[in-house]
């Protein structure tokens, strides 16, 4: 409709503050260029106000106090070469990284027979290599399941031996990083499906299944992992018939799995609750069965939502494996401790624990960063 | 139209807790018939339509769909759901799947149709709802009207003999209502048995064989559109018409 010309002029004069939107009058403009250079940035963010200035100065002072001595201790005055033995470390004022040159194999592989260390080393390298491969999205596929199956078999052969001319090594002698990685990875891999079943069970319409799931989750969450491991390794064998014994490592693995599953189940339940009711109704209306509905509609959405708490639990599980030391297994931390039992090197325990902490940290940091990437990757395109 | 009804509700009762939502609801729908259900909100019309594919369980009376009575038999319910398509007010597309994957999910897993064939069927229905070019997008990238048309296509992919529509246009922006109604009118023209809960009276006039008016959990009036709009029997119906047509 075309308003009459006088109508137009009257409108323009009467309500001059109401402008007609016109693309010709307002050309697109670039956003204002940032004026902040380094100095400007510092003035705005570091010295913007009095409290800010005080905090900034305090932080600078702390860094000045801490950093130079740390660098001096860790790098400048440190002993790196194990050639001089513990004696050269005692003379130096810095850190004794020579400890790692001397004791790395004991720390990494525990009490595994010394001349056979290449076996756990190769097994660990295989697992880490396949982990890295599985992390790449373009390589995802059914073949990975087979690769993991083969990898597990090879790792088993390498660790146990007893075939192909490899000497048999019982699980009691396993230790160090391979043990930590094995417990953590198998614990997580086995706990995850169990936790999904528990979470679904907790939301089930069937009272018996719901009660069982709730009971299990609340019971396990109510006790510390240490006591679960203790039950598994000390109490559990008492209930077995005489002559039957279950491997200690396996019992610890089962303990970790059951414990992790209970916590994971609650994270998964959080995701399930966030999925709108309509999603299930639509799946029902299409005639999908319960398991089809869960597998293809509900869980893919629910799990994507709870990647952060799930990875949180994975990280926690990874670090909790260090508790198996109380049932006499030599994981990475216990092996480090054992390596430090040597009276010559005992004074340098700080360096030993820093090294062990770095190993834990690098795996956990990888998991954390990977989960952030995974979240972004899976959110592509499907944002609501 | 054949004589034996494909959907029959006989004295259906349902309660939410102590609240009696469906009171003696009876309805019979013949093959190819288009039934439009209307009524004020809270009148139980959505609950009634959702009982037909067992999204809600009725607690009294009988519901028979295609000669099968709805009871606790899970297999029977799954069979009925394959043959009864449903379109929801809030679309309920699966946001983590592309449009094409939304459409092929049920044919692949419920009917075990080979993938190639399922995709061909899906594309055919996407063309019928006039959005084949969106097949590889995610639902979140489409407009409301487009999403609802995808939802209709998704339901049609199982080749149902009955379609239920639960307020399909109520969540749409006004300018998108028509594109969805056009698809529904076209579907009606092809002889599909349809039960629609809707307030779109223009649509009702155009396609309905039978109008059902519900209030307070009861079926108040069943009439032809001609009767319903010109000469409703009950006072309650007249009042309702005054409210929705007057605005």
């Amino acid at each position: 409709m075309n308003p009459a010309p006088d109508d137009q002029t009257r409108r323009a004069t009467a309500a001059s503050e109401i402008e007609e939107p016109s693309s010709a009058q307002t050309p697109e403009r670039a956003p204002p260029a940032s004026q902040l250079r380094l100095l400007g940035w510092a003035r705005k963010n570091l010295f913007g106000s009095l409290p800010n200035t005080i905090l900034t100065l305090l932080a600078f002072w702390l860094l000045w106090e801490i950093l130079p001595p740390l660098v001096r201790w860790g790098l400048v005055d440190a002993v790196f070469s194990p050639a001089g033995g513990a004696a050269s470390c005692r003379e130096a004022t810095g850190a004794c990284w020579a400890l790692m040159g001397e004791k790395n194999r004991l720390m990494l592989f525990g009490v595994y027979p010394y001349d056979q260390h290449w076996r756990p080393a190769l097994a660990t390298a295989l697992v880490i290599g396949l982990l890295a491969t599985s992390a790449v999205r373009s390589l995802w596929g059914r073949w990975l399941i087979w690769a993991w199956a083969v990898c597990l078999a090879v790792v088993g052969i390498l660790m146990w031996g007893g075939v192909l001319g490899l000497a048999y090594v019982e699980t009691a002698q396993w230790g160090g990083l391979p043990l930590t990685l094995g417990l953590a990875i198998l614990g997580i891999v086995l706990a995850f499906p169990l936790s999904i079943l528990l979470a679904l069970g907790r939301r089930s319409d069937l009272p018996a299944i719901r009660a069982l799931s709730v009971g299990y989750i609340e019971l396990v969450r109510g006790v510390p992992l240490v006591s679960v491991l203790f039950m598994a390794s000390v109490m559990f064998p008492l209930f077995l018939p005489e002559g039957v014994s279950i491997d200690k490592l396996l019992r610890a693995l089962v303990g970790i799995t059951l414990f992790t599953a209970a916590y994971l189940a609650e994270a998964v339940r959080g995701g399930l609750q966030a999925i709108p009711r309509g999603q299930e109704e639509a799946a029902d209306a299409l005639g999908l069965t319960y398991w089809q509905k869960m597998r293809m509609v509900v869980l893919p959405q629910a799990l994507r939502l709870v990647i952060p708490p799930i990875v949180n639990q994975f990280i926690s599980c990874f670090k909790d494996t260090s508790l198996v030391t109380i049932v006499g297994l030599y994981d990475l931390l216990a092996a480090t401790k054992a390596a430090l039992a040597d009276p010559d090197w005992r004074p340098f325990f700080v360096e030993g624990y820093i090294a062990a902490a770095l190993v834990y940290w690098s795996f956990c940091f990888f998991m954390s960063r990977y989960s952030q990437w995974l979240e972004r990757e899976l959110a592509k395109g499907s944002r609501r | 139209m054949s004589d034996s009804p494909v959907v029959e509700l006989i004295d259906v009762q349902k309660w939410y807790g102590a609240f009696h939502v469906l009171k003696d609801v009876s309805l019979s729908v013949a093959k190819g018939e288009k039934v439009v259900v209307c009524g004020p909100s809270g009148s139980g019309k959505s609950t009634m339509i959702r009982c037909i594919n067992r999204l809600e369980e009725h607690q009294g009376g009988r519901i028979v769909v295609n000669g099968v009575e709805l009871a606790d038999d899970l297999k029977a319910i799954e069979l009925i759901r394959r043959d009864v398509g449903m379109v929801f007010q809030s679309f309920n597309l699966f946001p983590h799947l592309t449009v094409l994957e939304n459409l092929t999910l049920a044919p692949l897993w419920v009917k075990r149709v080979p993938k190639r064939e399922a995709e061909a069927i899906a594309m055919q229905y996407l063309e019928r709802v006039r959005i084949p070019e969106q097949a590889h997008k995610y639902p979140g990238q489409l407009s409301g009207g487009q999403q609802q048309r995808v939802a209709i296509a998704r339901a049609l992919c199982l080749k149902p003999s009955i379609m239920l529509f639960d307020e399909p246009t109520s969540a749409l922006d006004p300018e998108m209502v028509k594109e969805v109604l056009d698809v529904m009118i076209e579907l009606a023209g092809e002889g599909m048995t349809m039960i629609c809960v809707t307030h779109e009276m223009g649509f009702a006039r155009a396609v309905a064989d039978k109008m059902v008016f519900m209030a307070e959990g009861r079926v108040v009036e069943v009439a032809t559109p001609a009767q319903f709009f010109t000469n409703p029997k009950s006072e309650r119906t007249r009042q309702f018409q005054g409210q929705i047509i007057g605005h």
Side-chain angles (χ1 to χ4, degrees):
Chain A
M1 269 188 282
N2 277 325
D6 60 1
D7 189 5
Q8 235 168 7
T9 46
R10 193 171 50 221
R11 236 189 323 169
T13 48
S16 57
E17 69 270 24
I18 302 173
E19 278 177 37
E20 291 276 316
S22 157
S23 53
Q25 285 169 355
T26 55
E28 292 204 10
R29 271 175 278 172
S34 173
Q35 304 286 313
L36 299 174
R37 291 293 168 83
L38 188 60
L39 259 179
W41 177 87
R43 192 177 305 148
K44 181 167 178 242
N45 294 300
L46 298 181
F47 303 101
S49 66
L50 187 64
N52 256 0
T53 309
I54 295 173
L55 278 178
T56 302
L57 291 176
L58 202 67
F60 276 136
W61 175 75
L62 270 175
L63 285 176
W64 179 252
E65 285 292 306
I66 293 169
L67 270 187
L70 200 64
V71 170
R72 219 175 302 130
W73 178 81
L75 294 173
V76 181
D77 296 340
V79 179
F80 289 93
S81 157
S88 66
C89 273
R90 263 192 295 277
E91 286 159 22
T93 53
C96 179
W97 303 122
L99 170 81
M100 257 54 77
E102 181 73 20
K103 297 288 184 191
N104 61 37
R105 286 175 63 173
L106 191 51
M107 286 166 64
L108 282 177
F109 304 118
V111 288
Y112 204 90
Y114 194 79
D115 56 338
Q116 302 287 324
H117 276 182
W118 64 273
R119 283 159 56 180
L122 184 57
T124 310
L126 269 178
V127 168
I128 292 178
L130 195 50
L131 267 182
T133 313
S134 314
V136 183
R137 190 173 191 183
S138 56
L139 298 177
W140 286 358
R142 207 163 279 269
W143 73 276
L144 269 176
I145 299 172
W146 293 108
W148 273 106
V150 171
C151 174
L152 275 185
V154 172
V155 166
I157 291 169
L158 279 171
M159 294 299 290
W160 265 295
V163 288
L164 305 171
L166 296 171
Y168 176 69
V169 180
E170 55 173 353
T171 56
Q173 286 179 289
W174 295 11
L177 186 60
L179 188 80
T180 294
L181 277 181
L183 280 173
I185 293 173
L186 283 177
I188 287 168
V189 167
L190 297 173
F192 193 42
L194 182 59
S195 73
I196 289 174
L197 292 181
L198 283 169
L200 292 177
R202 194 164 186 166
R203 287 167 57 80
S204 169
D205 292 333
L206 307 169
I209 290 180
R210 194 167 54 233
L212 211 65
S213 307
V214 172
Y216 175 85
I217 292 170
E218 296 305 335
L219 181 74
V220 174
R221 285 205 309 166
V223 294
L225 177 57
V226 175
S227 61
V228 173
L229 288 173
F230 229 80
M231 284 287 287
S233 87
V234 180
M235 303 286 287
F236 182 62
L238 299 179
F239 299 114
L240 289 177
E242 205 151 339
V244 178
S245 80
I246 295 176
D247 189 275
K248 185 157 75 173
L249 182 60
L250 181 63
R251 276 180 275 146
L253 176 62
V254 170
I256 288 175
T257 303
L258 296 181
F259 185 79
T260 305
Y263 280 88
L264 272 179
E266 287 298 279
V268 173
R269 183 168 71 102
L272 292 177
Q273 281 174 344
I275 303 305
R277 183 95 194 91
Q279 291 290 307
E280 284 198 46
E281 284 177 353
D284 283 339
L286 288 169
L288 295 175
T289 64
Y290 175 83
W291 291 107
Q292 287 172 338
K293 170 174 77 175
M294 286 304 158
R295 191 157 66 86
M296 286 170 303
V297 175
V298 178
L299 283 172
Q301 299 183 60
L303 294 181
R304 199 174 293 182
L305 282 177
V306 291
I307 288 173
I310 283 178
V311 172
N312 203 15
Q313 212 51 57
F314 285 0
I315 288 176
S316 173
C317 172
F318 186 87
K319 293 185 294 181
D320 282 350
T321 55
S322 59
L323 290 171
V324 296
T325 176
I326 63 140
V327 295
L329 292 170
Y330 282 87
D331 72 307
L332 180 64
L333 191 61
T336 304
K337 212 174 186 173
L340 293 167
D342 183 341
D344 281 348
W345 295 93
R346 193 176 298 162
F348 312 110
F349 65 93
V350 173
E351 290 86 333
Y353 287 133
I354 286 178
L358 270 178
V359 175
Y360 279 107
W361 179 82
S362 40
F363 279 100
C364 294
F365 186 66
F366 167 76
M367 281 195 263
S368 159
R369 297 313 298 242
Y370 185 69
S371 83
Q372 285 171 20
W373 173 83
L374 194 65
E375 246 182 289
R376 277 199 305 276
E377 187 70 19
L378 294 180
K380 272 183 195 163
S382 61
R383 286 191 196 95
R384 280 166 204 262
Chain B
M1 270 183 244
S2 78
D3 304 319
S4 65
V6 287
V7 176
E8 191 160 30
L9 283 73
I10 305 158
D11 291 336
V12 169
Q13 314 285 339
K14 180 166 176 65
W15 289 263
Y16 285 135
F19 179 56
H20 202 169
V21 266
L22 296 181
K23 301 166 190 158
D24 304 320
V25 170
S26 293
L27 175 70
S28 133
V29 181
K31 188 167 166 42
E33 205 173 12
K34 285 87 184 135
V35 177
V36 167
V37 184
C38 60
S41 71
S43 58
K45 49 197 193 311
S46 277
T47 307
M48 191 265 293
I49 200 175
R50 287 156 58 90
C51 279
I52 296 173
N53 66 349
R54 195 71 165 189
L55 288 183
E56 303 280 356
E57 225 172 287
H58 60 289
Q59 289 145 321
R62 297 174 62 207
I63 300 178
V64 183
V65 179
N66 280 337
V68 182
E69 173 156 9
L70 278 176
D72 287 331
D73 181 6
L74 277 176
K75 279 278 160 261
I77 293 170
E78 271 163 28
L79 281 177
I80 285 172
R81 283 173 174 172
R82 273 187 215 190
D83 208 34
V84 179
M86 184 157 200
V87 175
F88 298 87
Q89 178 177 358
S90 50
F91 329 138
N92 293 348
L93 294 175
F94 306 131
H96 62 301
L97 301 177
T98 63
V99 165
L100 192 62
E101 287 167 337
N102 263 280
L103 265 62
T104 54
L105 185 72
L108 283 176
W109 294 94
V110 176
K111 280 197 162 171
R112 303 281 165 186
V113 175
K115 190 168 182 190
R116 200 173 288 273
E117 198 183 317
E119 286 181 351
I121 296 170
M123 286 312 296
Q124 183 193 324
Y125 281 112
L126 278 181
E127 267 162 44
R128 275 184 46 184
V129 299
R130 296 184 275 277
I131 34 175
E133 71 283 0
Q134 313 284 5
H136 297 287
K137 287 196 183 165
Y138 285 92
Q141 295 166 301
L142 306 186
S143 73
Q146 289 173 326
Q147 290 195 45
Q148 193 60 299
R149 285 187 281 154
V150 170
I152 294 173
R154 178 174 71 176
L156 290 174
C157 274
L158 280 175
K159 308 207 164 146
S161 63
I162 303 161
M163 284 287 283
L164 309 177
F165 293 85
D166 186 4
E167 305 204 26
T169 55
S170 302
L172 293 174
D173 291 336
E175 76 270 24
M176 292 171 184
V177 170
K178 187 176 177 300
E179 64 187 57
V180 171
L181 289 181
D182 283 348
V183 167
M184 289 169 63
I185 289 169
E186 204 177 299
L187 195 61
E190 287 161 19
M192 175 69 75
T193 309
M194 291 164 70
I195 305 176
C196 312
V197 173
T198 184
H199 292 144
E200 297 294 336
M201 289 303 133
F203 169 78
R205 259 185 257 253
V207 307
D209 297 312
K210 190 191 269 180
M211 296 294 299
V212 175
F213 177 71
M214 288 182 74
E216 283 134 29
R218 283 180 209 283
V219 173
V220 175
E221 183 155 359
V222 178
T224 64
Q227 281 175 326
F228 184 81
F229 289 113
T230 53
N231 187 21
K233 274 177 282 178
S234 92
E235 179 54 33
R236 189 73 187 80
T237 313
R238 235 167 281 153
Q239 209 182 329
F240 175 73
Q241 285 184 352
Q243 278 160 353
I244 63 162
I245 296 168
H247 80 132

